[in-house]
Amino acid sequence: GLADSYAGKVVSGETAELKKDADKTVFEVFVEEGDMVQEGDVLFSYDMEAMQLSLDKLYLDRESYENSISAAKSEIAELQKQRSSASSSQQLNYTLQIDSREADIREAEYNLALKEREIRAMESDMENAEITSPIAGRVMSVGSLDTDPNDGMYTEQNTSDAFITVMDVSAYRVEGYINELNRGVVTEGMRVTVHSRTDDREWPGVIESIDWEKPVQSTQSYYMNDDMSTSSKYPFYIVLDDTEGLMLGQHVLVSIGDNDTGSGSEQDKSFYLDETYILEEGGSYYVFADNGKGRIEKRKVTIGEYNEDEGCYLIKSGLELTDLIADTMNVSVGMATTTNESEAIDQYGDEQDDEEYFDEDGTDDNMEEFDDGDLDGLEIDE
């Protein structure tokens, strides 16, 4: 039984999504999907010639506004000189002309400031015409481009949020989901153990982050008689101490706490157990466990909540993580126990090569006396 077990999936350590500037034209793409790149490698470049033409146009616009401001200032100085020597009836006309020119200057200065900002941005873009990879990894996707036969440039045909995506495949991490109903169970910095679904391999790690901003809605209802109620799940990410043996995309199980504790807390010894090991009788719950003497006993346990996603019950008492248990199929009290599957098949399977003959007292020449329960599950010849 795993303590607070969650489904997980092995994902890349980091993903970089590089977006294309919609106002620029891609001139050349230097990578293809599947290529391995290093941090700083050039992925694609913009059309420098087109950018230079745009920058030259901005320079001309700036010069035009500067000339307009200079000319307006000179005209204002001349109008002020003429107004000083004009008659009282003419001075009002000169004043109106001066006010108009001053308004023209303010408008030109505003437009000039905007052009200066555009020029600085364009000059910065010119210095960063080549887009490099911020991380080392594999190129997972490249935006679709076709060559324009008229000028040899590229025009984008399939626009997406990310033009090129690079994934770090050297450092895996595990992505899991915590339900909103149990969100207090998982916290950042908590130690966890990742378990393989196919064998007994384990990888310890720590929860690096929980993304509360990107909920995923579950179609499973968590409320009685309420088909419209759904619950949201939130992704959390685990950084592993060692990733040897893991594969990208591999499905795993995540338990809270290091494997040596078996639980996230030394004070809380409860853990989850698959429902196939639990037997209900008269409102009480039992498991078939080894009694310490190589025989099956029916042991009463106290259960807690039921995890519908994983199909398991919380075991609160009556069972320790070190106990040996059996499922409830074809098992009865008193049967001999073994951890070897082939031995179990030989002893309790349908195919019995050796016949056993018993006296009325439950003994034969080669066997010790049996309790009544020991005969359960054994086929007795007449």
Side-chain angles (χ1 to χ4, degrees):
L2 300 178
D4 298 318
S5 178
Y6 301 92
K9 183 179 180 181
V10 179
V11 297
S12 66
E14 183 179 0
T15 299
E17 296 183 344
L18 295 100
K19 298 181 180 180
K20 173 184 172 295
D21 193 330
D23 297 328
K24 301 176 185 178
T25 302
V26 174
F27 178 72
E28 187 174 3
V29 178
F30 299 98
V31 295
E32 297 179 351
E33 186 174 320
D35 287 351
M36 298 297 297
V37 297
Q38 298 297 320
E39 181 179 352
D41 286 354
V42 179
L43 303 178
F44 66 97
S45 64
Y46 291 114
D47 178 15
M48 291 286 291
E49 183 177 350
M51 294 173 66
Q52 185 61 55
L53 291 174
S54 298
L55 183 59
D56 291 341
K57 177 65 168 56
L58 290 175
Y59 287 152
L60 291 175
D61 292 341
R62 180 178 65 179
E63 185 178 355
S64 176
Y65 286 124
E66 290 174 342
N67 291 337
S68 296
I69 294 171
S70 179
K73 288 181 177 180
S74 297
E75 190 172 351
I76 288 174
E78 182 62 28
L79 289 172
Q80 289 174 338
K81 182 178 179 181
Q82 294 177 6
R83 183 179 61 178
S84 62
S85 59
S87 62
S88 300
S89 59
Q90 293 177 330
Q91 286 184 353
L92 179 60
N93 182 46
Y94 282 111
T95 299
L96 292 175
Q97 293 184 58
I98 291 172
D99 290 344
S100 177
R101 297 299 181 271
E102 288 177 344
D104 292 341
I105 290 175
R106 288 193 294 272
E107 182 178 358
E109 288 176 340
Y110 173 77
N111 291 328
L112 178 60
L114 294 180
K115 290 299 175 183
E116 289 285 5
R117 187 180 303 172
E118 292 181 37
I119 288 172
R120 287 194 298 270
M122 183 62 71
E123 289 175 339
S124 177
D125 290 342
M126 291 285 290
E127 296 176 358
N128 299 283
E130 293 183 336
I131 306 303
T132 60
S133 176
I135 63 172
R138 177 180 288 116
V139 178
M140 305 304 296
S141 65
V142 179
S144 177
L145 296 173
D146 287 337
T147 303
D148 186 342
N150 295 323
D151 57 12
M153 303 302 173
Y154 288 95
T155 54
E156 191 170 5
Q157 300 296 317
N158 183 20
T159 303
S160 62
D161 289 339
F163 179 58
I164 291 182
T165 302
V166 179
M167 180 182 293
D168 179 7
V169 295
S170 63
Y172 294 152
R173 60 179 179 171
V174 172
E175 179 186 58
Y177 286 90
I178 178 69
N179 191 277
E180 67 179 60
L181 303 179
N182 299 315
R183 61 180 298 171
V185 176
V186 172
T187 58
E188 294 181 2
M190 178 179 288
R191 294 290 300 180
V192 296
T193 302
V194 174
H195 305 262
S196 170
R197 286 180 176 267
T198 58
D199 52 41
D200 59 356
R201 285 183 297 178
E202 299 173 341
W203 298 268
V206 63
I207 295 179
E208 178 187 40
S209 62
I210 305 173
D211 195 345
W212 300 113
E213 304 300 322
K214 295 181 180 178
V216 178
Q217 191 176 69
S218 171
T219 57
Q220 174 67 49
S221 175
Y222 285 85
Y223 304 96
M224 293 292 290
N225 302 321
D226 187 357
D227 294 336
M228 300 302 293
S229 297
T230 57
S231 177
S232 295
K233 295 183 178 181
Y234 301 86
F236 61 87
Y237 297 94
I238 301 167
V239 176
L240 301 173
D241 298 345
D242 179 26
T243 60
E244 184 178 356
L246 285 172
M247 298 182 296
L248 188 64
Q250 179 179 345
H251 291 271
V252 294
L253 289 174
V254 179
S255 64
I256 303 303
D258 287 323
N259 189 48
D260 56 353
T261 64
S263 175
S265 169
E266 292 185 359
Q267 290 74 29
D268 181 12
K269 294 300 182 180
S270 61
F271 57 91
Y272 283 93
L273 181 65
D274 191 283
E275 60 186 338
T276 59
Y277 292 96
I278 299 175
L279 178 68
E280 181 183 4
E281 290 183 355
S284 298
Y285 296 87
Y286 302 88
V287 296
F288 287 119
D290 185 284
N291 64 2
K293 300 178 181 180
R295 297 290 173 179
I296 288 289
E297 69 174 3
K298 189 168 68 173
R299 186 183 304 176
K300 188 175 182 179
V301 295
T302 303
I303 68 168
E305 64 182 18
Y306 177 65
N307 187 324
E308 190 169 356
D309 283 347
E310 300 294 335
C312 54
Y313 285 95
L314 182 69
I315 302 297
K316 302 178 71 174
S317 65
L319 196 64
E320 299 292 336
L321 287 170
T322 55
D323 288 334
L324 297 177
I325 61 174
D327 63 30
T328 58
M329 296 294 294
N330 302 320
V331 178
S332 58
V333 174
M335 295 178 74
T337 62
T338 177
T339 58
N340 187 309
E341 183 177 1
S342 62
E343 292 180 4
I345 294 175
D346 290 341
Q347 186 170 2
Y348 302 117
D350 293 335
E351 297 182 2
Q352 301 279 345
D353 293 334
D354 298 326
E355 294 182 346
E356 300 286 355
Y357 297 92
F358 295 87
D359 296 329
E360 291 181 359
D361 62 355
T363 65
D364 70 359
D365 294 339
N366 299 316
M367 302 186 68
E368 298 176 359
E369 185 174 356
F370 278 67
D371 295 327
D372 291 342
D374 294 327
L375 301 180
D376 292 342
L378 293 178
E379 185 174 325
I380 309 302
D381 291 343
E382 295 180 356

